[in-house]
Amino acid sequence: MGVLPSPHRLFSLRTIKQLSTLSVLLLVVVAVLLTVIVSERRDSMSLHEQLLMTELQLSNLKKEMSPVKADAVFKAKNHQPDLPVIIAITPTNPRPTQIADLTRLCYTLRHIPNFHWILVEDSETKTDKVSRFLARCGVHYTHLNVRTPEKMVLANGEARWRKHRGVEQRNLGLAYILSNGKDILPNPDSATIYFMDDDNTYSLRLFDEMRYIKRVGLWPVGLSGGLMWEGPLCKSHGVVGFHTLWRPDRLFPMDMSGFAFSIRALHDHPEARLDATVHYGFLESSFLSQLLDNSRELMEPKADLCRKVLVWHTRTEKANLKREKELNAKGKQSDPSIEV
């Protein structure tokens, strides 16, 4: 006796068949409409010309429908009704490698079931480039934007550690969840929220670890804090300390990628926000203090009692555009119509 396919596979196959049937019906309808529209012109056209015109229009329709069908099937495969949703808030700023970084991240996120991505641009407006990227990524998303105040923007040559980054963008994401959670969540009381950078590296196992967090879950981060890894030291009964060298007196000496929290924790502390005025390096500790009422007792060790590194604080190398600058000096540039 053959092995029965899983309900997940049955759902995907059924979705594909339904979409295929819909495609055929739409093509038939379009063919009929084209016949009516061009009826007055057919008297002056040869049969060969009429066939060429119809074939061209049907070909264009197929091209337009193909990506829609693919995305619809993909999203159906990744929706599991009984699984809590993970919401990631990602700040992103304009730079030459922005779309390259987002594309790499997108191909990780496409594998995560029940996932919603809040991408927040550091911009006065939502840019067309990022809008086009999100439309073709294939992940459920919300696209927001807010500009970082000038006084918080790094000056040319200023060290990265001098100012906090992504504060306004992450806070806007939190405000959006509090105001619109019912619109993006099947169960507004069951979800995990994660601050995700657009240039870090993530194992898919990390999202399995965080999905059922009760309040705040913690894990180590690779290549962070000037160490091979930085993060909590854990025993079976909870977090007993932290592996860090810079200001170990912080209550929660954590990297932003080293924790996630439940939407219930946010609902219990709706005023919790990242504070751009705190001393550098205390941004995460300040936020966790608000969610955990200044107590380490409620922290939940994840990733094999904090023994597994499932996220790495990687950074994309700054693009070398020396030749582009030489072109600019001559009043020229690489073709801007080719989007990078």
Side-chain angles (χ1 to χ4, degrees):
M1 181 181 294
V3 178
L4 288 173
S6 67
H8 179 77
R9 183 176 296 277
L10 282 172
F11 181 73
S12 299
L13 292 174
R14 184 162 61 250
T15 303
I16 293 171
K17 290 179 180 178
Q18 291 172 346
L19 288 170
S20 298
T21 302
L22 179 60
S23 299
V24 173
L25 290 174
L26 285 173
L27 291 175
V28 171
V29 170
V30 169
V32 172
L33 289 175
L34 288 174
T35 302
V36 174
I37 293 172
V38 302
S39 60
E40 295 182 358
R41 298 178 56 193
R42 287 186 181 272
D43 292 339
S44 59
M45 297 172 61
S46 68
L47 178 60
H48 178 67
E49 290 174 327
Q50 294 173 22
L51 289 174
L52 285 177
M53 183 182 71
T54 302
E55 287 178 1
L56 177 61
Q57 291 171 325
L58 290 178
S59 175
N60 290 336
L61 179 62
K62 287 180 181 178
K63 289 178 182 178
E64 292 176 3
M65 291 180 63
S66 295
V68 175
K69 182 174 70 173
D71 279 349
V73 173
F74 180 85
K75 290 175 181 177
K77 288 171 62 178
N78 277 272
H79 178 66
Q80 301 177 25
D82 299 328
L83 207 61
V85 173
I86 293 174
I87 307 172
I89 302 173
T90 300
T92 185
N93 63 290
R95 59 192 187 279
T97 63
Q98 181 183 32
I99 297 301
D101 289 334
L102 290 174
T103 297
R104 181 173 56 237
L105 182 54
C106 168
Y107 280 102
T108 296
L109 304 184
R110 284 176 68 99
H111 294 281
I112 306 170
N114 291 28
F115 181 86
H116 189 90
W117 194 12
I118 299 179
L119 188 63
V120 190
E121 289 194 71
D122 187 347
S123 174
E124 293 287 354
T125 60
K126 298 174 188 175
T127 64
D128 292 339
K129 181 166 67 171
V130 173
S131 295
R132 286 191 293 268
F133 159 77
L134 284 169
R136 63 177 179 262
C137 175
V139 173
H140 289 281
Y141 70 87
T142 296
H143 186 189
L144 304 174
N145 67 284
V146 61
R147 187 78 174 94
T148 298
E150 284 299 324
K151 64 180 181 180
M152 294 303 299
V153 176
L154 287 172
N156 288 334
E158 190 175 9
R160 290 170 59 95
W161 57 267
R162 297 283 299 182
K163 293 174 182 175
H164 301 298
R165 297 180 301 279
V167 173
E168 287 76 15
Q169 291 74 34
R170 293 184 179 99
N171 283 341
L172 180 61
L174 292 176
Y176 181 85
I177 292 170
L178 287 170
S179 300
N180 302 276
K182 292 181 180 180
D183 297 329
I184 62 176
L185 296 172
N187 182 354
D189 296 321
S190 178
T192 295
I193 303 169
Y194 184 44
F195 293 135
M196 173 181 282
D197 289 351
D198 63 2
D199 57 353
N200 281 358
T201 303
Y202 304 90
S203 167
L204 292 177
R205 289 178 55 195
L206 176 66
F207 302 95
D208 294 331
E209 291 284 333
M210 72 171 68
R211 195 176 293 275
Y212 292 97
I213 286 172
K214 296 178 181 178
R215 183 169 286 272
V216 177
L218 292 83
W219 47 81
V221 179
L223 311 177
S224 177
L227 299 167
M228 287 299 293
W229 66 271
E230 182 183 49
L233 301 170
C234 306
K235 298 292 185 182
S236 59
H237 59 278
V239 177
V240 296
F242 290 88
H243 176 59
T244 185
L245 291 184
W246 187 82
R247 296 295 301 267
D249 57 311
R250 290 173 291 166
L251 184 57
F252 301 102
M254 294 289 302
D255 181 81
M256 195 72 72
S257 297
F259 67 90
F261 50 99
S262 68
I263 194 170
R264 184 174 296 277
L266 182 61
H267 284 158
D268 290 344
H269 299 82
E271 74 292 342
R273 294 293 186 275
L274 295 164
D275 183 0
T277 66
V278 299
H279 189 276
Y280 182 83
F282 282 76
L283 189 63
E284 296 88 345
S285 185
S286 169
F287 180 74
L288 288 173
S289 295
Q290 298 172 63
L291 286 184
L292 292 168
D293 299 316
N294 296 307
S295 172
R296 292 181 174 182
E297 299 298 322
L298 297 175
M299 295 185 296
E300 303 165 46
K302 297 294 180 180
D304 192 17
L305 287 178
C306 309
R307 299 289 300 173
K308 293 288 191 300
V309 171
L310 302 176
V311 54
W312 295 262
H313 197 283
T314 50
R315 291 175 182 168
T316 302
E317 182 180 4
K318 187 176 181 180
N320 182 354
L321 298 176
K322 181 173 64 174
R323 305 304 181 198
E324 189 70 28
K325 291 178 181 178
E326 291 177 5
L327 271 181
N328 296 159
K330 298 176 182 179
K332 302 178 181 179
Q333 63 176 330
S334 298
D335 186 351
S337 68
I338 298 177
E339 191 170 279
V340 180

